Amino acid sequence: MHFIAKPISIFLLAILLIFFNGMLMLTMPRELALDLKFAYSVSEAFSALESMGEGVRGFYQLGIWLLDFPYMIVYCLFFSAILYRLWGVSRLIWLPLAIAFFDLIENLSVLVLLKTFPAIPENIAVLASIFTSSKWVLVVFLMLSILSGLIRVLIAKKYSSETSSRYEI
C-alpha cells in the first residue's frame, strides 16, 4: 500500500482516472447507461436498452469491456491510496474494493442484458439494479470518508501549528 499511496502514484492514478472518465463519457450514453442509474426497474432497463438502438448497444458493450473493467482497477487503487493517505491505516480500503466488486457484478449483469436484448431476463435486470444501487450507496460512504479524512487532516494541521506557535514565544 505504501507504494500506491506515494504522491507520484496518486498523481498517475488521478491522470488515468480522468482519462477513463472521459473515455467512458464518450462511449456510454449518459442518460441511458444503466451503470449511472439508481434503483431502476426491469421496464426502465428495457426502455433504456431499446432507446439505445443496436449500434449504441454494441458500443456500450465495447465500452464496458475495454474501459469500464480497467477503470475499476484504477479507481480502486486511487481511492484506496487516498484513504490510506488521509487515515494512515488500511482498514478503510475495503470500501473501494467493495465498490469495485459491486461494479464488477453490475457490469457482468449489464453485459448479459445487452447480449440477450430484446429478451430481458428479469432476475438479471433486478440483480444489475441492486448492485448498481449498492455501488452508488457505497460511493456516498467513500466520499464521506474522504471528506471527513480531509477535515481531520486540516484540523490536525491547524492544531499542530497553534501548538507549535505557543512554544515559539
Side-chain angles (χ1 to χ4, degrees):
M1 191 76 232
H2 293 290
F3 174 74
I4 298 296
K6 288 184 178 183
I8 188 69
S9 298
I10 292 174
F11 177 73
L12 293 173
L13 286 168
I15 289 172
L16 284 171
L17 193 72
I18 292 166
F19 169 76
F20 277 109
N21 265 313
M23 294 303 293
L24 284 167
M25 283 188 218
L26 293 175
T27 61
M28 293 188 180
R30 191 167 186 78
E31 64 283 350
L32 300 174
L34 298 177
D35 313 62
L36 303 176
K37 295 185 180 295
F38 188 84
Y40 53 87
S41 66
V42 175
S43 62
E44 288 172 314
F46 181 85
S47 178
L49 294 176
E50 183 180 45
S51 296
M52 286 180 196
E54 191 174 332
V56 175
R57 281 193 304 273
F59 207 54
Y60 184 25
Q61 188 173 14
L62 190 63
I64 291 173
W65 281 113
L66 297 180
L67 297 171
D68 211 11
F69 282 123
Y71 178 62
M72 283 186 276
I73 296 167
V74 170
Y75 76 67
C76 187
L77 290 173
F78 176 77
F79 287 115
S80 294
I82 294 292
L83 288 171
Y84 185 79
R85 293 284 296 194
L86 289 172
W87 291 98
V89 294
S90 55
R91 68 176 173 244
L92 286 176
I93 292 172
W94 69 268
L95 202 47
L97 289 171
I99 293 167
F101 173 75
F102 288 156
D103 201 4
L104 174 67
I105 302 301
E106 165 207 303
N107 284 341
L108 293 173
S109 301
V110 169
L111 286 169
V112 169
L113 295 175
L114 288 165
K115 185 165 180 68
T116 61
F117 189 82
I120 297 279
E122 287 188 26
N123 57 341
I124 300 296
V126 169
L127 184 72
S129 179
I130 288 169
F131 277 94
T132 301
S133 300
S134 299
K135 172 187 78 175
W136 288 116
V137 168
L138 289 182
V139 166
V140 169
F141 282 113
L142 174 68
M143 293 301 129
L144 290 173
S145 297
I146 290 171
L147 182 62
S148 62
L150 286 170
I151 292 168
R152 180 180 158 270
V153 167
L154 292 173
I155 289 171
K157 280 187 179 186
K158 182 178 181 193
Y159 179 74
S160 69
S161 69
E162 286 176 2
T163 305
S164 65
S165 67
R166 275 192 245 156
Y167 295 113
E168 289 176 14
I169 298 175

